[in-house]
Amino acid sequence: VVIVSDDFMSSLSLGSNVTYRPGTRMVKFITVNTVYTVTRGGVLRAVASEDVAEDLYGSAWNTWIDDISDAFFGNYDFGDDVDDAEDYDPDEEEESVDSIDDNLS
């Protein structure tokens, strides 16, 4: 732990918000029932059905969903729906980024 001064902290500029790492979790917004997969660059893809979610994340698929505050809606873009398991590979998506910088670029 490094303790820094208030002046140092105030000299730093804020960066963009970090989105979920692709492939690691599914997400939904608190006021919307749609469940999304996450791809590189913060692109969300709606999961078409519970069957597709189960194909992707197993029988406990519903434990792989995190709620996101609606305040972060603007941090994401939206892509094509995931209509079947061939449309999305969680492992491949996760491997597509090695760092936060990869995901933000």
Side-chain angles (χ1 to χ4, degrees), residues 7-90:
D7 288 338
F8 176 77
M9 284 300 293
S10 66
S11 74
L12 300 175
S13 61
L14 294 176
S16 59
N17 289 332
V18 175
T19 57
Y20 270 74
R21 183 176 180 158
T24 59
R25 306 286 294 173
M26 292 183 288
V27 298
K28 66 174 285 308
F29 294 98
I30 294 170
T31 61
V32 180
N33 289 329
T34 306
V35 173
Y36 300 93
T37 60
V38 182
T39 64
R40 187 180 181 131
V43 176
L44 301 182
R45 299 180 61 196
V47 178
S49 68
E50 290 181 15
D51 289 338
V52 173
E54 185 172 351
D55 288 344
L56 295 173
Y57 288 93
S59 60
W61 63 270
N62 60 327
T63 64
W64 290 87
I65 302 170
D66 285 348
D67 286 332
I68 300 175
S69 168
D70 293 354
F72 298 111
F73 188 86
N75 296 119
Y76 291 90
D77 292 315
F78 296 86
D80 295 334
D81 291 357
V82 178
D83 293 320
D84 58 55
E86 274 79 56
D87 290 343
Y88 183 85
D89 182 335

